[in-house]
Amino acid sequence: MSDVTIVPRKPGTKLWSRVALHAFLIIMAVIWLVPILGALYSSFRPYSDTQQNGVFSLPETLTFENFRTAWGSGDGGMWGYFKNTMFIVLPALVIILLLSSFVAFAVSRFSWRLNVPLLLLFTAANLLPVHTIFYPLFTIFKRIPWPDLLSDTDTGNLLGTKVSIIVIHVAFQMGFCTFVMSNYMKTIPKELTEAALVDGASVLRQNWQVVMPPCRPVIAA
């Protein structure tokens, strides 16, 4: 056997490398935090003060007036936009997770003829450029009569309504959610659903009480 020569590392080499690494990380963190801290600091000052003296100058006064103005009241302020966002996001999120869990359960726990083609259909929907369906969606929504009782102006069709935005979110996100949830459900042992089937559990109960509880991480994701 040939002798292996081990060259000892200088004692200070590792220390200096760690110092250089931490110095680089600290500099990068400061670079990223300076604009955020500057924006937060400026939010407590009047706009005239920052415009005249600069962002990082000493303040003449500190106030919450900018926050009160931005939050506002009614549909014209941030609170109105926040309510509209929650009205669209929450129903869309519930519908997406519910429908995606059903499809993912069907393609991951059962073997049938359209199992793989159905999963490929939902997966391929993620590859479709959204720009190609703008005009078809515009035409379809314009031709669907819909009395919009949730908005101040009723156009008589689905175009420009909150419901149409919810439908678009559900349609666009179901493919990705189905793909992710089906792959996660495949990691759950099938013996769990088989045991539930022997105990007389229906398909819906297998999905809701046996498969969905272990899927909490992927649902949160």
Side-chain angles (χ1 to χ4, degrees), residues 88-89 92 141 158 160-171:
I88 293 172
V89 169
F141 286 169
L158 198 59
T161 62
K162 295 183 177 68
V163 175
S164 64
I165 303 178
I166 295 175
V167 171
I168 291 175
H169 277 292
V170 172

Side-chain angles (χ1 to χ4, degrees), residues 1-211:
M1 296 178 64
S2 59
D3 297 335
V4 178
T5 303
I6 300 176
V7 180
R9 180 181 294 179
K10 295 181 180 180
T13 303
K14 186 176 182 180
L15 176 61
W16 283 108
S17 63
R18 291 181 63 85
V19 170
L21 176 62
H22 283 78
F24 173 77
L25 294 177
I26 292 173
I27 293 174
M28 294 303 298
V30 170
I31 292 175
W32 280 97
L33 288 176
V34 163
I36 300 176
L37 295 177
L40 181 62
Y41 175 56
S42 301
S43 64
F44 293 100
R45 302 171 59 185
Y47 176 71
S48 58
D49 186 11
T50 56
Q51 185 182 27
Q52 181 179 359
N53 301 321
V55 175
F56 296 102
S57 60
L58 294 177
E60 296 179 357
T61 180
L62 296 177
T63 178
F64 288 95
E65 186 62 30
N66 292 330
F67 292 93
R68 286 193 289 266
T69 303
W71 188 255
S73 60
D75 294 334
M78 187 179 295
W79 172 240
Y81 298 132
F82 182 78
K83 289 191 299 183
N84 291 335
T85 301
M86 289 298 99
F87 184 85
I88 293 172
V89 169
L90 293 181
L93 184 62
V94 173
I95 295 173
I96 290 170
L97 293 178
L98 184 64
L99 297 181
S100 298
S101 65
F102 290 159
V103 179
F105 180 82
V107 299
S108 63
R109 314 304 291 184
F110 297 102
S111 297
W112 45 299
R113 181 174 299 178
L114 298 179
N115 191 332
V116 177
L118 183 62
L119 181 60
L120 291 177
L121 176 64
F122 278 89
T123 306
N126 296 321
L127 306 177
L128 183 66
V130 295
H131 309 85
T132 60
I133 62 174
F134 281 166
Y135 183 74
L137 279 178
F138 176 83
T139 305
I140 293 174
F141 286 169
K142 195 173 183 179
R143 294 181 179 179
I144 296 178
W146 183 269
D148 189 15
L149 305 177
L150 305 175
S151 301
D152 296 333
T153 58
D154 185 8
T155 59
N157 52 47
L158 198 59
L159 188 64
T161 62
K162 295 183 177 68
V163 175
S164 64
I165 303 178
I166 295 175
V167 171
I168 291 175
H169 277 292
V170 172
F172 272 85
Q173 299 298 328
M174 266 199 64
F176 176 75
C177 292
T178 300
F179 175 74
V180 174
M181 294 185 69
S182 63
N183 288 332
Y184 191 89
M185 287 182 181
K186 290 179 181 178
T187 63
I188 301 175
K190 289 188 176 181
E191 289 78 8
L192 295 177
T193 53
E194 292 175 355
L197 181 62
V198 171
D199 291 338
S202 61
V203 174
L204 183 61
R205 191 170 185 180
Q206 294 176 33
N207 180 27
W208 191 254
Q209 295 186 350
V210 178
V211 177

